[in-house]
Amino acid sequence: MKKLLAFVCCLSFCMAFTACKTDKTDSVSEKTTTTASQTTTTLIEQSQAPDHDKTVEDYINENKESFDVFKQSMGGTGLELDISARKNSLVYSYRYTFMINDIETVKETLEQGFESVKESYVITLDALKKAVPTAQSIILEYLDIDGNLITSCEIESPSETE
C-alpha cells in the first residue's frame, strides 16, 4: 500500500507540471499547473533589461513573492519546495514530507516524468536568462524526507545556434 501511495504521489506530481489538465477542477495537478503557469507569467512580466551584475540569488530575492506563491501551492501534495541559487543555476528542491519505502520506483517514475515537465522549466529559464544573462540552467532535485537526493535533472536552454 505504501508503495502504491508513493507511486501515486510521485506520478501526480509529475503530471502537475504538464500541460494536460483533468476534468476535476480542484485536483492537485490542475492547481499546481495553474500556479506554475501564473508564476512563470509573472516572472516574465517582471523581467527588465538585463543587469550583467545581477546574480541568480538576486533574481530569487526580487521575485520572492512569486516564488512564495509557488511554494504555497505545493501544500497537500506531500512535497515541500525550496528555491535557491547554486552558482549560476536556479535550483528547485522538492522534498517528500513522508517516508518513501520504495525509492527506486519513485526514482524511475520521476525520471520518466522529467521530459514531460521540461518545457515548463525551459520557459522559466528563458525568463531567468533575460534578467540574469549569466544564468546557465535550472536544476530540479527530488529529496527524501531526510534530505537525501533521490534524483535530479538539469535543464539548459537549447543552443542558440540551433
Side-chain angles (χ1 to χ4, degrees), residues 72-92:
Q72 291 172 358
S73 74
M74 299 303 299
T77 64
L79 293 165
E80 288 180 349
L81 173 61
D82 182 52
I83 299 172
S84 61
R86 186 177 301 149
K87 296 185 182 182
N88 289 330
S89 296
L90 181 63
V91 181
Y92 290 83

Side-chain angles (χ1 to χ4, degrees), residues 9-151:
C9 285
C10 183
L11 184 61
S12 68
F13 183 71
C14 288
M15 295 302 294
F17 289 100
T18 63
C20 301
K21 292 190 177 186
T22 62
D23 291 337
K24 250 178 135 178
T25 58
D26 62 346
S27 72
V28 171
S29 64
E30 183 172 321
K31 178 181 173 187
T32 307
T33 301
T34 301
T35 305
S37 297
Q38 290 170 343
T39 301
T40 300
T41 301
T42 302
L43 294 174
I44 290 170
E45 289 171 354
Q46 291 176 352
S47 294
Q48 301 169 356
D51 178 352
H52 294 282
D53 294 329
K54 189 187 292 185
T55 65
V56 174
E57 192 166 318
D58 293 335
Y59 180 79
I60 292 169
N61 292 332
E62 289 173 3
N63 295 286
K64 184 179 182 334
E65 188 175 307
S66 295
F67 285 125
D68 286 346
V69 169
F70 190 32
K71 288 178 185 181
Q72 291 172 358
S73 74
M74 299 303 299
T77 64
L79 293 165
E80 288 180 349
L81 173 61
D82 182 52
I83 299 172
S84 61
R86 186 177 301 149
K87 296 185 182 182
N88 289 330
S89 296
L90 181 63
V91 181
Y92 290 83
S93 296
Y94 297 96
R95 187 178 62 81
Y96 282 90
T97 59
F98 58 90
M99 187 65 70
I100 300 171
N101 291 328
D102 189 358
I103 294 287
E104 285 305 311
T105 300
V106 171
K107 180 179 178 177
E108 287 175 23
T109 304
L110 288 168
E111 289 174 350
Q112 290 171 359
F114 282 145
E115 277 304 310
S116 65
V117 300
K118 189 174 184 176
E119 187 61 34
S120 297
Y121 288 100
V122 168
I123 293 167
T124 303
L125 180 57
D126 289 342
L128 172 63
K129 284 187 166 195
K130 286 179 183 174
V132 184
T134 58
Q136 294 178 337
S137 65
I138 291 180
I139 298 171
L140 306 177
E141 56 186 25
Y142 293 86
L143 312 170
D144 66 13
I145 194 168
D146 297 321
N148 301 312
L149 183 67
I150 297 171
T151 189

